[in-house]
Amino acid sequence: PTLQEQAKAFYEASYKQLQIDRQVLQEQHLKLQEVRAGLEKAALEERALLQLEKAKQDDMMAKLTAEYKSLQQQEESVKRQQASVHEAAQTLSANAKQREDQLSQVASELETRRFQQPQ
């Protein structure tokens, strides 16, 4: 074969190889686009799951905070009731002591009168 025929054969072979390479590159590009789309979809799903989990945690935290505040209010109420009961018990105790003293005084006066009366 002549030099021109060899050059033409080389050119045609190179051109065919370039077409094959181009086809392979296009196929790889499509595969990469599919992989990228899959990764983007997975990232969106992961983000949605994380947002859902955060929303659940926020909801749980709000419930726990409300429950804690409620328990604090109940504790304060119980403390006020205990103080009120303690005060009432002290008042009752003081009243009972006062009545006991009065009864003792009356008994003492009755005893004194009984001894003072002529028999």
Side-chain angles (χ1 to χ4, degrees):
T2 67
L3 188 59
Q4 187 178 8
E5 290 173 340
Q6 287 178 347
K8 183 179 179 186
F10 176 76
Y11 171 79
E12 288 175 353
S14 294
Y15 183 75
K16 285 182 183 179
Q17 186 61 46
L18 283 173
Q19 286 181 324
I20 292 170
D21 290 346
R22 182 177 180 215
Q23 181 66 32
V24 168
L25 284 174
Q26 285 176 339
E27 290 171 3
Q28 288 177 343
H29 180 72
L30 288 175
K31 287 179 184 177
L32 285 174
Q33 284 180 328
E34 289 174 8
V35 168
R36 180 179 177 194
L39 289 173
E40 287 174 351
K41 181 181 176 189
L44 286 174
E45 290 172 353
E46 182 68 20
R47 195 174 304 126
L49 288 174
L50 288 173
Q51 288 174 344
L52 180 63
E53 187 63 32
K54 185 181 181 319
K56 287 180 182 178
Q57 288 177 355
D58 290 348
D59 184 51
M60 181 61 74
M61 189 58 121
K63 287 178 183 176
L64 289 174
T65 300
E67 187 175 341
Y68 177 73
K69 287 180 181 179
S70 174
L71 289 173
Q72 279 184 319
Q73 290 172 348
Q74 290 175 17
E75 181 182 21
E76 291 170 7
S77 175
V78 166
K79 284 180 182 178
R80 285 191 302 271
Q81 290 173 358
Q82 286 175 335
S84 177
V85 166
H86 180 70
E87 185 180 326
Q90 285 182 328
T91 301
L92 288 174
S93 178
N95 289 346
K97 176 73 172 129
Q98 185 181 8
R99 285 208 172 93
E100 186 179 312
D101 291 346
Q102 288 173 346
L103 286 174
S104 179
Q105 185 180 357
V106 167
S108 177
E109 288 176 9
L110 286 175
E111 192 68 24
T112 302
R113 285 184 191 169
R114 193 176 72 154
F115 284 119
Q116 289 178 350
Q117 289 180 353
Q119 303 225 345

